[in-house]
Amino acid sequence: LFDQGAKMKSVFLSSPLETPGSARQIVKELDEVLDPNMALSARKIRENPHILNNLPYTTAVIKETLRLYPPASAMRTGFAKG
């Protein structure tokens, strides 16, 4: 399951939205659109950044994860004014 693209995939596999089917679907989509080899994937993205638009499921998982766990909420510290 894990290959040279493991770093890129591990972000999605550890997602709170992980279910047995969704993790496999993300890996399948990344392998089909990009490449199992991370170096080749990086080259494809550099040559044609718009290829990332061909990852609808992965994009949906990223957006949903950010909706559920927005990064800005972790930065809220301090005291309320007033």
Side-chain angles (χ1 to χ4, degrees), residues 1-51:
L1 178 66
F2 286 85
D3 53 21
Q4 292 180 359
K7 288 182 183 178
M8 178 172 44
K9 294 173 187 171
S10 68
V11 173
F12 303 110
L13 294 175
S14 64
S15 167
L17 302 175
E18 180 186 354
T19 61
S22 69
R24 282 190 295 272
Q25 188 169 348
I26 290 169
V27 171
K28 181 179 180 227
E29 184 177 69
L30 290 172
D31 287 347
E32 287 175 357
V33 175
L34 301 175
D35 195 277
N37 181 306
M38 195 168 176
L40 293 176
S41 294
R43 185 181 334 161
K44 282 184 175 184
I45 294 169
R46 277 193 305 272
E47 291 172 357
N48 180 17
H50 297 289
I51 197 169

